[in-house]
Amino acid sequence: MIKHFLYLERKQYFRSSYWQKNMAINILMVFFALYFIASFSALGFGLLFLLKEMFPEQDAFVIANNYLFYWIIGDLLMRFFLQKLPVMSVKPLLTLPIKRSTVVNFVLGKSALSFFNFLPLFAIIPFSIMLISDGYETSIILTWLFTMIIVVLITNFLNFIIEAFSAESELSFLPILGVVGTLFALNFFNILSMTSLIGGAFLAIASNPILILIPIAILVACYVFNFKTLIKKLYLDSSLKSKVTEVNAADLSWTKRFGDIAPFMQLDLKLIWRNKRTKSMAMLLLVGVLYGLFFYPQEIYREMTFMSAFIGIFSTGFFLINFGQFIPAWDSGYYKLLMSQNIKYEQYLRSKFILMVISVVLLFVLGIPYVYFGYKILIAHFAAAIYNIGVNTHVILWGGSFNRKKIELDKKAAFNYQGTGAVQWLIGIPLMLVPMGLFGLINWLIGFGAAIVFLIILGVAGIVFHKRLMKGITKKYLDSKYKMINAFSQDS
């Protein structure tokens, strides 16, 4: 049966409407994977020498185990934000004589083959080899190695348990940040030495192999919990239940001042507020407002004036980037119906444009207090806002014409990469890297004032030629209209 599942997954992947675009991003991800593999391997072979140099009077193996606490919480954070439970189209299988337990075991087993589980091995195995070659007892190191592999798998399944508890809440990443932050604080303020506790546990297991049964039992418990959680949801009618909620009507009459695009703006605002993914994205606007606080309080960043362009563009364009990069995929669920109506496509796109412009102005105004760190920062944010309005709004609308991935609005929003493709990665080059590079180059060659003027000129030019640019963008969308309809009609 597992063989049939693998065959179906392969067919599903290669028959998807956006397979070629997936291949483009997969090739890019392969390069990233090779980079991390090389980095972890270098760390594994060099860690023993590094620890001996830093702690010449202490046992390198003991020090390495003490630092495992930081690795565990770091690994858990990375998995929560980046790793998702592998899925398969199970509804068609539920009408067939296939045991639900077989389907669930396949999904969980597939998660064990994740790249996140193999990557630590490129550091753990070389480090174990170096320890054995340095004279450490082979049985102790091998026991430690198997324990580490078990802990990697525990972290894998523990991540899915945490996601299951937090999936239904807005800003669902806050609980994991709270737990990890508390553990880190307990260790940092010496309230409870987590480094000694975790390190001592690994050393005890390495010295007494029988104790490896404890992490094995924890692994089995995590697997069983995930199994029971998933199998309870594996019913045909599990998605038919609807939660009754109170309807909150908002007054959107202010949008009427925008004329014929008002109905589209109202639809977008309702979509943002009534769906889980878009609502969480809107709430994350606070990140855009406070983004500068990660940099400006530090003197080193205030002296790197070219960074102010990057921070300004990201801060004032936070909504523009997060909302705009998925245009028109936000409407993919009813895109076919939308395109069958007697509407002008330019009005549809212009409503998105106005919404993004309003967000840029709002975020700039909310960021005015950054003048506390220097007037140059406020000037840079103003230039970045003009650049976002005149250039990046058009860039991101043009990039949206290449979107071919459907978005499910009822899914968790935070760090959800469903609907993300090569377009979302490549659009970052003209959005962020190009203006930052040009600003830094002119700032270095001529000066800060000239770099600011350059950004403003580009932004003003985009505003002046807005109508002409929108005509070209609209034509691109119309040319891709039926390709989008076909792609958004696909379930995978």
Side-chain angles (χ1 to χ4, degrees):
M1 186 56 64
I2 299 298
K3 179 181 177 181
H4 289 296
F5 285 161
L6 292 173
Y7 174 78
L8 290 174
E9 292 249 318
R10 182 173 63 86
K11 288 292 186 183
Q12 181 186 26
Y13 177 78
F14 286 107
R15 289 177 177 178
S16 66
S17 61
Y18 45 83
W19 177 75
Q20 291 181 344
K21 290 186 177 295
N22 266 353
M23 286 299 295
I25 193 62
N26 285 341
I27 292 172
L28 181 64
M29 296 305 294
V30 165
F31 285 109
F32 279 111
L34 292 175
Y35 168 77
F36 283 113
I37 288 172
S39 300
F40 273 64
S41 299
L43 176 65
F45 283 111
L47 184 59
L48 182 61
F49 302 105
L50 184 64
L51 291 175
K52 285 184 174 181
E53 183 179 344
M54 295 176 63
F55 307 97
E57 298 180 358
Q58 301 182 51
D59 190 332
F61 184 53
V62 174
I63 297 298
N65 279 276
N66 287 341
Y67 277 98
L68 287 178
F69 165 69
Y70 299 106
W71 167 71
I72 291 173
I73 62 174
D75 187 38
L76 194 60
L77 276 174
M78 181 184 68
R79 288 174 183 272
F80 183 83
F81 292 144
L82 299 178
Q83 183 187 18
K84 303 301 173 187
L85 185 67
V87 295
M88 60 185 301
S89 298
V90 296
K91 283 189 177 181
L93 301 177
L94 297 180
T95 60
L96 302 175
I98 300 175
K99 292 183 177 180
R100 291 184 298 127
S101 59
T102 304
V103 177
V104 174
N105 282 323
F106 174 77
V107 173
L108 292 176
K110 186 179 174 183
S111 75
L113 301 178
S114 168
F115 177 73
F116 289 94
N117 296 330
F118 282 102
L119 185 59
L121 300 182
F122 288 97
I124 295 169
I125 294 176
F127 183 60
S128 301
I129 294 172
M130 297 303 295
L131 288 171
I132 294 173
S133 63
D134 197 55
Y136 287 87
E137 190 173 338
T138 303
S139 59
I140 291 178
I141 301 305
L142 289 180
T143 304
W144 179 83
L145 173 62
F146 286 121
T147 305
M148 289 294 295
I149 294 173
I150 293 170
V151 170
V152 168
L153 293 175
I154 289 174
T155 310
N156 176 72
F157 293 115
L158 183 60
N159 171 49
F160 301 138
I161 294 174
I162 295 172
E163 282 198 348
F165 280 111
S166 60
E168 299 302 322
S169 62
E170 299 293 344
L171 301 179
S172 55
F173 57 89
L174 292 181
I176 183 66
L177 292 180
V179 172
V180 171
T182 301
L183 293 175
F184 183 83
L186 289 174
N187 184 76
F188 183 79
F189 294 107
N190 295 319
I191 300 173
L192 179 63
S193 181
M194 299 300 298
T195 53
S196 300
L197 188 64
I198 299 296
F202 276 95
L203 289 172
I205 295 173
S207 302
N208 302 279
I210 190 66
L211 295 178
I212 202 173
L213 294 176
I214 297 175
I216 290 176
I218 296 174
L219 174 61
V220 171
C222 290
Y223 185 93
V224 170
F225 187 92
N226 277 287
F227 180 89
K228 290 183 176 180
T229 301
L230 290 178
I231 205 166
K232 287 179 182 178
K233 300 178 180 179
L234 207 63
Y235 290 96
L236 275 174
D237 59 350
S238 62
S239 61
L240 298 180
K241 290 183 179 180
S242 58
K243 185 163 57 176
V244 179
T245 56
E246 181 182 351
V247 176
N248 295 316
D251 182 13
L252 300 176
S253 59
W254 59 270
T255 59
K256 293 180 180 179
R257 69 187 63 184
F258 293 101
D260 55 1
I261 66 170
F264 299 104
M265 291 186 66
Q266 291 175 8
L267 285 174
D268 282 332
L269 291 170
K270 290 176 182 177
L271 178 142
I272 290 171
W273 191 246
R274 292 178 179 178
N275 294 281
K276 184 184 296 184
R277 181 163 179 175
T278 48
K279 187 191 292 187
S280 296
M281 178 203 66
M283 290 181 176
L284 285 173
L285 281 174
L286 186 63
V287 175
V289 176
L290 302 178
Y291 186 70
L293 293 180
F294 293 102
F295 299 95
Y296 293 142
Q298 304 179 50
E299 188 68 30
I300 185 174
Y301 290 110
R302 292 205 297 271
E303 294 176 356
M304 299 166 61
T305 51
F306 71 91
M307 281 292 292
S308 58
F310 170 79
I311 298 169
I313 289 173
F314 187 85
S315 180
T316 61
F318 188 84
F319 177 85
L320 179 152
I321 295 169
N322 286 277
F323 177 78
Q325 66 178 326
F326 293 112
I327 295 173
W330 294 121
D331 306 314
S332 57
Y334 53 90
Y335 190 77
K336 186 185 295 185
L337 172 65
L338 195 63
M339 292 299 102
S340 66
Q341 305 301 308
N342 184 24
I343 61 174
K344 291 183 178 180
Y345 213 117
E346 188 174 357
Q347 293 176 354
Y348 169 78
L349 293 176
R350 194 150 53 90
S351 69
K352 314 285 187 184
F353 173 83
I354 294 298
L355 203 59
M356 291 188 288
V357 169
I358 292 173
S359 73
V360 172
V361 174
L362 178 62
L363 287 170
F364 168 73
V365 171
L366 293 175
I368 288 178
Y370 282 124
V371 72
Y372 171 79
F373 298 105
Y375 73 94
K376 286 187 176 182
I377 291 175
L378 182 61
I379 294 173
H381 278 220
F382 175 75
I386 298 297
Y387 182 87
N388 274 330
I389 293 172
V391 179
N392 278 347
T393 48
H394 299 103
V395 169
I396 210 156
L397 282 175
W398 176 80
S401 65
F402 297 94
N403 280 333
R404 300 290 187 272
K405 289 194 174 185
K406 187 175 182 178
I407 287 182
E408 297 180 23
L409 297 172
D410 59 341
K411 300 297 182 183
K412 186 178 69 173
F415 300 94
N416 181 358
Y417 299 101
Q418 187 262 334
T420 303
V423 174
Q424 281 70 37
W425 291 89
L426 296 176
I427 201 69
I429 296 175
L431 278 179
M432 306 294 295
L433 297 183
V434 170
M436 182 180 174
L438 292 174
F439 184 90
L441 180 63
I442 296 175
N443 179 56
W444 178 63
L445 292 175
I446 305 176
F448 179 79
I452 290 293
V453 171
F454 179 75
L455 278 187
I456 293 176
I457 290 175
L458 288 178
V460 171
I463 296 172
V464 170
F465 294 103
H466 167 69
K467 290 186 177 180
R468 186 172 298 180
L469 291 171
M470 286 300 292
K471 285 183 180 179
I473 293 170
T474 303
K475 185 178 184 302
K476 184 70 178 67
Y477 273 85
L478 290 173
D479 292 340
S480 306
K481 176 179 176 180
Y482 295 102
K483 292 179 181 178
M484 289 182 185
I485 291 174
N486 181 55
F488 292 156
S489 301
Q490 304 291 327
D491 291 328
S492 59

